[in-house]
Structure formats: C-alpha cells, structure tokens
C-alpha cells in the first residue's frame, strides 16, 4: 500500500497530477478540492489510496487527511467506486458532504452526477454515525482568476470529460454556467458549477 507520495509536482490538471518521486513519475487522480489546495507548489506531498483491479492500478491523491478519510468511507458503500467517490468530492466540499449526511439531505448528494436516490440514501444511512467526528474545513480558496476565458473553458471541458461527462453535455453545462456568471470565473468554480448543472 502506498500511503503518501512526496516529490516534485511535474504536471497539474483539475483531475490528476504527475509527481516525480526519485525519477519516477506517478500519475495520481485528484478531486477539485485537492486541485484547489495544491496551488502552484513545486514540492508536494499527497496522501494516497491505491486502487487495484485486474487491468489497472490507480492512485488517488488527497491534500488533506479529512478528504482521504471521507473518500475511504464513501468506498465502503455498496455501489460507490473510486470514480464516483472522486466525483462526489469534486462536486461538493468535504464539509458540504458531511453536512448533507448528518442532516439527511438526500437531494444534495443525489445532485452529483451518477448518484441515484437509493445510493444517496445508502450513503446517508451508512455514514451518518461515521462522519463529523474529525472537523473538516470547507476551503473555498481559489487559485485566483485566470485571465484567458477560452483556456478556462477548454480545461473545464477536458476535466468534465475525464470525470465521465459526454462532450456535448459538458459543453452545454459550461455554456450555461458562463451565461449565468458575469465577469471572470476561476477554473475550479466553473467545473464545480458545471457538475451541478443538469
């Protein structure tokens, strides 16, 4: 089991990073929460979870222990795999997820792409007694506003496609968010808002 990686941040995308550890480049999938918190660090340390399937070994990375803990709790739910867990953590902050679970807010969890009513209810039922014990910080810090709206649109589109959205649906969601948002919007806010647009 690889518990964490510490090394040079070689590449950063809203859905994954590449970390050079002793000359080996590790491809690590991340959520928008972690993407936001990494900022532009050169040296980086991520807590990791290694998911092993017959045809693939996939690393998932987390900047904060609370996020990793929540991810592992989500994986314990029948019907929630690593990709769905990452989608939930990209759509909502750790604090929002915990609040929704503690208050029995099925609608908020169900609003995440790929989560149906039964899965949302199962998440709440099974995790109600397990979350909220370690406080998590709803960090809405952003990387600052990027200047080029076309670049933001392209990166957001790529992130949504990576997260499993069909290209046409992703483009439509991004356009809807940009239409409703006057002025500039940061990449992570655009992706987050697009994930919630249906």
């Amino acid at each position: 089991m690889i518990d964490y990686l510490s090394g040079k941040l070689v590449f950063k995308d809203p859905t994954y990073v590449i970390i050079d550890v002793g000359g080996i480049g590790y491809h690590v999938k991340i959520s928008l929460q972690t993407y936001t918190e990494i900022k532009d660090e050169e040296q980086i340390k991520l807590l990791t979870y290694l998911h092993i399937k017959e045809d693939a070994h996939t690393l998932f990375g987390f900047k904060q222990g609370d996020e990793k803990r929540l991810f592992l709790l989500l994986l314990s739910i029948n019907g929630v795999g690593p990709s769905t867990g990452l989608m939930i953590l990209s759509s909502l902050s750790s604090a929002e997820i915990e609040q929704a679970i503690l208050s029995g807010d099925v609608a908020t969890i169900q609003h995440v792409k790929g989560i149906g009513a039964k899965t949302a209810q199962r998440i709440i039922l099974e995790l109600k007694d397990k979350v909220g014990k370690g406080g998590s910080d709803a960090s809405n810090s952003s990387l600052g506003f990027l200047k080029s709206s076309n670049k933001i649109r392209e990166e957001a589109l790529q992130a949504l496609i990576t997260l499993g959205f069909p290209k046409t649906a992703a483009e439509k969601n991004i356009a809807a968010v940009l239409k409703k948002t006057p002025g500039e919007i940061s990449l992570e806010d655009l992706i987050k808002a697009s994930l919630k647009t249906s």
Side-chain angles (χ1 to χ4, degrees):
M1 182 68 172
I2 301 171
D3 200 53
Y4 69 87
L5 289 175
S6 182
K8 184 181 178 187
L9 181 61
V10 178
F11 180 81
K12 183 181 75 166
D13 178 88
T15 57
Y16 74 95
V17 291
I18 296 173
I19 303 173
D20 183 322
V21 182
I24 299 171
Y26 289 89
H27 184 286
V28 186
K29 292 194 171 192
I30 59 169
S31 71
L32 270 178
Q33 287 188 52
T34 290
Y35 174 80
T36 302
E37 289 182 31
I38 288 171
K39 299 190 166 54
D40 291 317
E41 296 172 19
E42 278 190 38
Q43 292 297 315
I44 187 173
K45 179 180 178 182
L46 288 184
L47 302 169
T48 56
Y49 168 77
L50 178 61
H51 183 68
I52 299 174
K53 289 197 304 185
E54 278 182 28
D55 58 345
H57 288 199
T58 310
L59 270 172
F60 294 86
F62 313 92
K63 189 72 173 151
Q64 302 296 338
D66 276 347
E67 189 188 4
K68 180 179 178 179
R69 180 177 151 270
L70 201 49
F71 179 77
L72 294 175
L73 285 174
L74 288 167
L75 289 195
S76 71
I77 306 296
N78 188 20
V80 178
S83 296
T84 305
L86 214 57
M87 177 73 80
I88 295 169
L89 290 165
S90 289
S91 302
L92 304 162
S93 72
S94 295
E96 286 171 332
I97 296 164
E98 290 192 0
Q99 186 55 48
I101 290 169
L102 291 170
S103 62
D105 185 354
V106 175
T108 294
I109 296 172
Q110 198 183 336
H111 211 68
V112 176
K113 181 184 181 289
I115 301 288
K118 282 185 180 173
T119 305
Q121 286 163 359
R122 207 178 299 128
I123 289 170
I124 289 168
L125 188 68
E126 293 184 30
L127 299 186
K128 204 158 198 170
D129 295 333
K130 296 177 184 175
V131 302
K133 291 181 176 131
S136 66
D137 175 28
S139 169
N140 289 326
S141 63
S142 85
L143 290 168
F145 293 101
L146 301 169
K147 296 264 163 72
S148 165
S149 60
N150 278 344
K151 185 182 175 202
I152 291 174
R153 186 188 287 254
E154 279 305 308
E155 288 185 13
L157 177 62
Q158 199 53 54
L160 290 177
I161 291 168
T162 304
L163 287 167
F165 273 76
K167 188 176 179 186
T168 48
E171 285 173 337
K172 187 177 161 193
N173 286 10
I174 290 167
V177 172
L178 290 174
K179 192 175 178 185
K180 283 191 286 187
T181 311
E184 296 196 354
I185 184 169
S186 67
L187 176 59
E188 56 272 26
D189 286 344
L190 176 56
I191 296 169
K192 199 172 271 194
S194 299
L195 285 169
K196 292 178 181 175
T197 302
S198 49

